[in-house]
Amino acid sequence: MFKFLKEVVAGSGSGLKDFPYTVGEPYASAWGSWTHHRGTSKDDGSPVSIFSLSGSNPQDRHLVAGRNGVKRLRTVRHPNILSFLHSTEAEVPDGPAMKHTIYIVTEPVMPLSEKVKELNLGGTQRDEYFAWGLHQISKAVSFLNNDCKLVHGNVCLASVVVTQTLDWKLHAFDVLSEFDASNEASGSPMLQFEWLVGTQYKPMELTKSDWASIRKSPPWAIDSWGLGCLIYELFSGAKLARTEDLRNTASIPKSLLPDYQRLLNSTPSRRLNPSKLIDNSEFFQNKLVETIQFMEVLNLKDSVEKDSFFRKLPNIAEQLPREIVLKKLLPVLASSLEFGSAAAPALTVLLKMGSWLSVDQFSIKVLPTIVKLFASNDRAIRACLLQHIDQFGESLSAQTVDEQVFPNVATGFSDTTVSIRELTLKSMLVLAPKLSQRTISGSLLKYLSKLQVDEDPGIRTNTTILLGNIASHMNDGTRKRVLINAFTVRALRDTFPPARAAGIMALSVTSSYYEMTEIATRILPNIVVLTFDPDSDVRTKAFQATDQFLQIARQHHEKLTTGDTMVAESTGVQLNTGNSGLLGWAMSSITQKGKASDHGSISTANASNSQVSATSAATPGYAPSTSSSLDKAAPASARSSVDGWGELEDDNIHEENGSDKEGWDDVDPFDDKASPSLLSNIQAAQKRPVVQPKQAVASAKSHQLKAPKSEDDPLWGPIAAAPPKSASKSADIKPSTSHNDEDDLWGSIAAPAPKTSGKPLKAPAANSDDLWGAIAAPPPSTKARPLASSGRGRGTKPAQPKLGAQRIGRTSSTGM
């Protein structure tokens, strides 16, 4: 006698003590005397199916048959046979009496009859789905008959269940028996529990209990008849009431009718083998069956076949039932990608199918696969992920991005392929908002520092644009040490015109993060220089940015004038409405190529593909750089010990990421020394005598005229330069690089100009004119008489030159 393993829980009997599953609501239908319940695992809450069978005593013949079904289901394993998980038998109270109950726990399934009603398919889609289901059941029956020499005995609609992925599986093994053909003349029953089979489902020989004839027949004879009964119930939509109804073939598809008739042949030996039904029937040759079969053996296909298949799959998926695509094709496709059998084009199909899911289902069924794919070594898959990151990036959690996605994506920053580096860069617009401050400061900015000096000009340009877009996700300390140096020291001095334009736009968009002192001493001087850039687009944006920052300075002045010092000293200057948007990508290095050394005119049409939503002006289009005076115009300044973007450390983050590790150690920013007010500097400079350094005088001997010395004019004598030999030469004269001299005229009134390790920008035209006249400072009080009015002094004084090193016509050698 079967030993009872579990005890009864008091109550309704909906659960068992120590039973690791919770028994839920029953379905409306089940095979035989079994009851099919929904259930869940007590360990993890995962869904299961629980079948229960009750009897009045342990020797109830239904319980005996049920124990046979449990044993058979436990031992027979096949993809198209219901998966067994657990079983037990216990006594369950039923009022004053006790009932003996067998429980079988399996994978979560649903009765086929109820699933067909739920799907409510029609026409071609119904036939294609039925074809796939019959294909699976035929394989299961063929496996039992041909490989295991077993007879199921009752294949019908009730013995088929459907999984969550819409696969059909065979169960109800209570009648299952070995095919005994050893004694053909024996009249003993071969199917011990054949009495469980309904009369309408029995072939003639089984109805007559002609066991001798059954033993002489092939092993599949009884189950082939059962397949015919299943086909009838499927397409007629009704349960088979009597055997004679099988003759009604009006609902059977014409392509399946010949095989249907052979399955129901009155002669057992002439019935169609289920294996041949799978191979030969025209009914099974449709898009759904072929697609699923191809994907199941995907690892056996070559790359050409895979590429061709996945390029056609999006169109095929549109024609298939949506629920079948999402519940069957999508999991198979995700598994193929995860284990490496699918090619990169499959990822596009996966994302398209995933877009049909709800947000919750997408996070469960698609995102785990995508996160794993970021670690793939296949460059094509990585590129496809980055190209479509906007489709799933918002669904990724911040923790997942910071801990799993970004470390794998970051390898693309140093990829040898330009397209991968660019795609990686652009993906940061989606991922950066989800990164922690530690990751941004300690890792991301290091990579962006290197990309700002990348050999590809498009990547340099888009790096600047990205910095402008993610500035809001940096903390205050990082912004103060990074933005200005990144935009001015590097971007504004790039040899590629769109990169300079991007730097201007980035400064405009991030203007709310700068203090008034930084705007006046570090930003405006660098932007004004670009107002005579050879590129018209750069000049236009330089003028717009100059107007914007001057407006900010004007507002600051007005607030100071009205005494609103608290507001005036605040660092958060609000942006204009037009500058509150994001910078758009300026170009694509994948489709357009260019080098910083290329020279040529910039077409205005190129700018149409590179618009910036932050302002009314477009971001520069991708175009070759033109040679300009800006490439050589950076006046040399004193070297600073701080790197180009500054120290990336602040009060909130304490990491070992000094400037020598950030990649900007070859760039010197402006000195951030605390200095007196600008007005005090100018006044002090006006009162201080100036002495020209000997080195500068010596180096300029070949370009200067001898000037008579005047003991009455000690202030102007040392700094008055002789008129240049020609206007073109005067434009190429560079100012002195000696900043160690105390008497440097510019050192006390202006922020030191930055220098770069790249090609220096060309300085404005140098000339021998009065240096003080350019800043409109009054001449200092001195005993010397004015040179211009007395006509005395060191000789002729040239007129003030214009920006751009234009040739100046001089008509007098005695004055301006």
Side-chain angles (χ1 to χ4, degrees):
M1 183 179 69
F2 192 84
K3 184 178 180 181
F4 299 125
L5 302 177
K6 305 296 177 183
E7 295 180 355
V8 179
V9 173
S12 63
S14 61
L16 299 170
K17 184 178 181 181
D18 298 330
F19 189 56
Y21 301 93
T22 301
V23 182
E25 294 296 322
Y27 288 99
S29 61
W31 180 85
S33 299
W34 289 88
T35 302
H36 184 180
H37 300 266
R38 301 172 178 85
T40 56
S41 171
K42 291 181 179 178
D43 294 335
D44 55 9
S46 59
V48 295
S49 279
I50 300 175
F51 296 85
S52 64
L53 178 65
S54 299
S56 57
N57 62 78
Q59 299 305 319
D60 186 290
R61 61 177 187 166
H62 286 90
L63 293 179
V64 175
R67 295 185 188 112
N68 177 67
V70 173
K71 181 184 71 173
R72 298 294 186 177
L73 191 63
R74 186 197 300 268
T75 55
V76 177
R77 299 285 180 171
H78 187 269
N80 303 121
I81 291 177
L82 186 61
S83 298
F84 174 88
L85 298 178
H86 183 80
S87 68
T88 190
E89 184 173 345
E91 290 184 350
V92 179
D94 183 19
M98 300 293 289
K99 280 192 174 182
H100 296 268
T101 305
I102 298 174
Y103 291 96
I104 303 177
V105 183
T106 68
E107 61 182 314
V109 290
M110 185 177 184
L112 176 60
S113 57
E114 296 189 28
K115 177 56 73 173
V116 169
K117 293 178 182 178
E118 181 183 290
L119 292 176
N120 193 27
L121 300 176
T124 304
Q125 290 187 344
R126 185 202 68 166
D127 290 350
E128 287 183 344
Y129 181 60
F130 285 177
W132 170 244
L134 288 172
H135 184 275
Q136 292 181 300
I137 297 302
S138 298
K139 288 173 67 175
V141 173
S142 176
F143 170 75
L144 293 174
N145 299 157
N146 296 294
D147 299 332
C148 302
K149 303 302 179 184
L150 296 171
V151 179
H152 183 278
N154 193 19
V155 178
C156 60
L157 187 69
S159 63
V160 179
V161 289
V162 183
T163 67
Q164 292 180 325
T165 57
L166 300 183
D167 290 314
W168 292 17
K169 296 205 172 185
L170 185 66
H171 80 124
F173 283 0
D174 293 14
V175 188
L176 188 71
S177 302
E178 286 83 3
F179 178 73
D180 182 14
S182 58
N183 188 0
E184 296 180 358
S186 174
S188 61
M190 189 177 71
L191 303 179
Q192 184 179 1
F193 305 104
E194 55 85 18
W195 51 268
L196 288 171
V197 181
T199 306
Q200 69 272 29
Y201 295 112
K202 290 182 178 180
M204 187 60 64
E205 67 274 15
L206 186 58
T207 302
K208 296 178 179 180
S209 297
D210 186 0
W211 298 111
S213 175
I214 291 173
R215 286 186 170 89
K216 292 179 182 179
S217 303
W220 59 82
I222 294 177
D223 289 340
S224 291
W225 182 277
L227 278 174
C229 297
L230 172 61
I231 291 173
Y232 174 84
E233 289 184 318
L234 270 178
F235 290 99
S236 66
K239 187 176 180 179
L240 182 64
R242 54 181 185 167
T243 305
E244 289 76 12
D245 292 341
L246 294 173
R247 299 180 181 276
N248 184 4
T249 61
S251 60
I252 308 298
K254 292 182 179 180
S255 59
L256 185 60
L257 184 58
D259 294 318
Y260 171 75
Q261 293 172 335
R262 291 181 63 189
L263 288 170
L264 297 174
N265 197 297
S266 58
T267 305
S269 60
R270 300 181 63 181
R271 289 176 190 153
L272 182 65
N273 190 328
S275 63
K276 293 184 178 180
L277 173 67
I278 299 170
D279 298 334
N280 302 330
S281 179
E282 180 185 345
F283 180 69
F284 296 102
Q285 299 175 7
N286 60 61
K287 292 179 182 178
L288 179 62
V289 175
E290 292 173 356
T291 299
I292 297 175
Q293 285 182 317
F294 187 96
M295 294 180 69
E296 287 182 340
V297 294
L298 195 61
N299 56 337
L300 302 178
K301 304 295 182 179
D302 59 34
S303 58
V304 176
E305 290 177 305
K306 290 179 182 179
D307 289 343
S308 175
F309 172 76
F310 286 118
R311 293 185 191 285
K312 297 177 182 178
L313 187 55
N315 293 331
I316 295 176
E318 292 283 358
Q319 302 172 24
L320 300 177
R322 184 60 53 87
E323 190 167 359
I324 296 176
V325 171
L326 296 180
K327 291 187 176 181
K328 176 60 184 176
L329 295 184
L330 182 62
V332 175
L333 185 60
S335 178
S336 300
L337 278 167
E338 187 173 337
F339 293 102
S341 58
L347 181 59
T348 304
V349 185
L350 178 71
L351 293 174
K352 181 176 181 178
M353 293 180 179
S355 66
W356 299 338
L357 292 169
S358 64
V359 176
D360 294 338
Q361 288 296 311
F362 182 85
S363 300
I364 296 172
K365 295 184 176 181
V366 178
L367 276 187
T369 299
I370 290 176
V371 172
K372 292 178 182 178
L373 289 178
F374 274 109
S376 173
N377 293 326
D378 189 335
R379 183 172 286 169
I381 287 181
R382 286 164 46 209
C384 190
L385 282 171
L386 296 174
Q387 285 175 337
H388 299 89
I389 198 167
D390 57 320
Q391 297 181 22
F392 59 84
E394 294 300 324
S395 301
L396 294 169
S397 66
Q399 182 179 2
T400 300
V401 172
D402 201 53
E403 297 178 0
Q404 300 180 53
V405 176
F406 179 78
N408 291 315
V409 172
T411 60
F413 285 120
S414 55
D415 197 283
T416 55
T417 304
V418 174
S419 61
I420 296 293
R421 295 202 304 275
E422 183 182 47
L423 287 172
T424 304
L425 176 69
K426 291 185 175 183
S427 70
M428 289 301 108
L429 194 59
V430 177
L431 299 181
K434 298 178 181 289
L435 295 177
S436 64
Q437 287 300 316
R438 180 179 298 274
T439 302
I440 291 176
S441 299
S443 183
L444 176 59
L445 292 180
K446 292 181 181 180
Y447 291 116
L448 298 185
S449 168
K450 295 178 181 178
L451 291 184
Q452 249 203 332
V453 291
D454 193 89
E455 62 181 6
D456 187 88
I459 289 182
R460 298 199 304 271
T461 303
N462 286 333
T463 301
T464 300
I465 292 172
L466 175 67
L467 281 168
N469 285 333
I470 67 173
S472 60
H473 304 294
M474 304 177 190
N475 57 39
D476 292 338
T478 302
R479 282 195 291 260
K480 288 181 181 297
R481 280 178 277 273
V482 169
L483 295 184
I484 294 182
N485 287 322
F487 297 151
T488 60
V489 177
R490 284 192 175 169
L492 296 189
R493 300 190 173 196
D494 199 292
T495 56
F496 191 52
R500 299 197 294 274
I504 296 172
M505 299 304 297
L507 284 169
S508 298
V509 171
T510 58
S511 61
S512 62
Y513 301 125
Y514 308 129
E515 296 180 0
M516 191 59 237
T517 303
E518 294 173 323
I519 292 175
T521 61
R522 303 182 63 183
I523 296 177
L524 272 173
N526 283 276
I527 294 179
V528 170
V529 171
L530 298 181
T531 56
F532 62 96
D533 191 278
D535 184 78
S536 61
D537 193 46
V538 175
R539 291 196 303 272
T540 301
K541 289 178 170 55
F543 278 113
Q544 292 173 348
T546 300
D547 292 341
Q548 176 183 341
F549 283 107
L550 284 177
Q551 179 64 24
I552 294 173
R554 190 174 294 108
Q555 294 173 1
H556 182 85
H557 159 70
E558 292 173 355
K559 291 172 183 177
L560 284 176
T561 304
T562 58
D564 192 359
T565 56
M566 293 297 292
V567 179
E569 293 174 0
S570 65
T571 59
V573 180
Q574 293 297 322
L575 285 172
N576 295 332
T577 304
N579 291 333
S580 59
L582 290 179
L583 289 166
W585 298 119
M587 63 209 63
S588 172
S589 296
I590 300 175
T591 57
Q592 298 175 333
K593 297 293 179 184
K595 298 292 182 182
S597 59
D598 296 339
H599 301 283
S601 60
I602 298 177
S603 173
T604 56
N606 289 339
S608 63
N609 295 327
S610 55
Q611 302 222 340
V612 177
S613 60
T615 64
S616 59
T619 300
Y622 183 72
S625 62
T626 57
S627 60
S628 73
S629 61
L630 284 172
D631 297 340
K632 306 175 183 178
S637 61
R639 292 283 175 181
S640 171
S641 61
V642 184
D643 65 359
W645 276 13
E647 300 286 347
L648 291 179
E649 57 187 16
D650 51 68
D651 297 337
N652 299 325
I653 299 177
H654 303 283
E655 299 183 62
E656 295 181 358
N657 52 348
S659 61
D660 58 330
K661 298 179 183 179
E662 302 305 328
W664 287 285
D665 50 333
D666 58 340
V667 181
D668 290 331
F670 293 100
D671 293 334
D672 285 328
K673 298 178 181 179
S675 59
S677 65
L678 186 59
L679 181 59
S680 300
N681 289 341
I682 295 175
Q683 292 173 346
Q686 291 173 338
K687 296 176 182 179
R688 184 170 50 192
V690 179
V691 179
Q692 183 74 9
K694 293 182 179 180
Q695 297 90 329
V697 175
S699 62
K701 279 185 178 181
S702 59
H703 300 286
Q704 295 179 349
L705 298 176
K706 296 286 184 177
K709 296 183 180 179
S710 175
E711 295 180 357
D712 296 334
D713 204 3
L715 176 63
W716 298 101
I719 65 172
K725 293 182 180 180
S726 66
S728 61
K729 286 185 178 181
S730 64
D732 294 330
I733 296 177
K734 298 182 180 180
S736 171
T737 60
S738 175
H739 285 264
N740 297 324
D741 196 327
E742 296 178 351
D743 298 322
D744 180 13
L745 296 177
W746 297 101
S748 60
I749 64 172
K755 65 183 179 180
T756 178
S757 59
K759 191 174 182 182
L761 297 174
K762 189 173 180 180
N767 56 72
S768 57
D769 199 359
D770 178 8
L771 298 178
W772 294 102
I775 62 171
S781 60
T782 178
K783 295 179 180 180
R785 285 170 289 184
L787 297 179
S789 61
S790 63
R792 298 174 56 193
R794 299 167 56 196
T796 61
K797 179 182 292 185
Q800 176 73 14
K802 298 180 180 178
L803 294 178
Q806 299 179 2
R807 185 177 297 276
I808 302 172
R810 293 178 171 80
T811 58
S812 173
S813 61
T814 60
M816 292 187 293

